Amino acid sequence: LRALPADDPRAYKVEHLNEVEANLRGMGKLAEGEVLAEVGCADCHMGVGVQAGNHKTDLRLPDGAACGQCHVRQFSERESERDTITWPQDQWPAGRPSHALSMIANYETAIWAGMAEREVAEGCTMCHTTQTSCNQCHTRHEFSAAQARKPEMCANCHNGVDHNEFENYMTSRHGLIYQTNGDNWNWKAPLS
């Protein structure tokens, strides 16, 4: 990344890397002036900077807070969804339903609680777990912003009879434009 020329559309990632390194310095995981050489499995699955561990007792599946140790800004942006969304007809309380509060949408919905078919209710839980993980939109080990921007990734949860947003989008004017022109778009451009 450090060798990317400034006119490369991925050059913004250098600034992101610098931000992560500053976070690691703040945690005492990198010395002043030291650069991050690599990110290994143990950094995410055992703890930032951990050199060794016992797979049976120390291995964990990273959650959003684990990602947030290095990706502080992104984690705080995600967490800010908790209290910044206001719905136009007050159909939901402020901050819900957002990705950071998706599990609450299950537990606080009378339909989910009263559903006699528990296997159907458990199906809700397959998507309503994004509050603890970043990899619902950024798949593990790649964490691609370009991947997360495409509507197919949203369809991972937002589809089907009860949540047909993906189908509605794909047949809308915007969805048709995406389908006809999306291959020509720069999905790696930085977000503003």
Side-chain angles (χ1 to χ4, degrees), residues 16 32 36 41 43 60 86 96 101 136 138 140 175 182 189:
H16 180 72
E32 193 59 44
L36 183 61
C41 303
D43 290 311
R60 66 169 191 242
T86 303
R96 194 186 121 217
L101 294 173
Q136 201 82 344
H138 305 274
R140 282 188 192 115

Side-chain angles (χ1 to χ4, degrees), residues 96-189:
R96 194 186 121 217
S98 68
H99 295 103
L101 294 173
S102 65
M103 189 61 91
I104 292 173
N106 270 13
Y107 297 149
E108 291 184 357
T109 303
I111 294 169
W112 185 84
M115 203 177 284
E117 303 87 6
R118 293 317 298 163
E119 64 278 1
V120 176
E122 284 305 312
C124 303
T125 305
M126 291 182 69
C127 294
H128 287 266
T129 56
T130 57
Q131 73 185 42
T132 59
S133 174
C134 299
N135 72 354
Q136 201 82 344
C137 302
H138 305 274
T139 57
R140 282 188 192 115
H141 304 125
E142 188 171 336
F143 301 103
S144 166
Q147 183 185 63
R149 291 175 179 174
K150 295 184 179 181
E152 290 86 355
M153 189 57 71
C154 304
N156 189 34
C157 295
H158 297 275
N159 71 65
V161 176
D162 56 344
H163 293 292
N164 60 0
E165 296 89 356
F166 175 71
E167 293 86 348
N168 288 338
Y169 173 78
M170 293 304 273
T171 57
S172 74
R173 174 72 63 193
H174 292 118
L176 295 172
I177 292 169
Y178 161 73
Q179 291 175 70
T180 56
N181 297 334
D183 291 340
N184 302 319
W185 299 346
N186 180 5
W187 294 98
K188 296 182 179 183

Side-chain angles (χ1 to χ4, degrees), residues 11-85:
Y12 74 93
K13 291 183 177 189
V14 176
E15 183 179 326
H16 180 72
L17 178 59
N18 293 335
E19 191 178 313
V20 168
E21 289 174 338
N23 296 338
L24 292 172
R25 287 186 193 99
M27 293 173 14
K29 302 291 184 183
L30 276 181
E32 193 59 44
E34 182 183 1
V35 296
L36 183 61
E38 65 182 6
V39 176
C41 303
D43 290 311
C44 300
H45 292 281
M46 291 187 182
V48 178
V50 171
Q51 297 298 313
N54 182 319
H55 278 217
K56 191 173 184 178
T57 58
D58 301 332
L59 196 64
R60 66 169 191 242
L61 188 59
D63 59 8
C67 299
Q69 288 184 324
C70 297
H71 303 279
V72 175
R73 180 177 49 83
Q74 291 80 3
F75 181 70
S76 64
E77 286 171 356
R78 187 182 82 100
E79 290 296 295
S80 74
E81 287 185 9
R82 293 180 183 278
D83 56 11
T84 57
I85 294 177

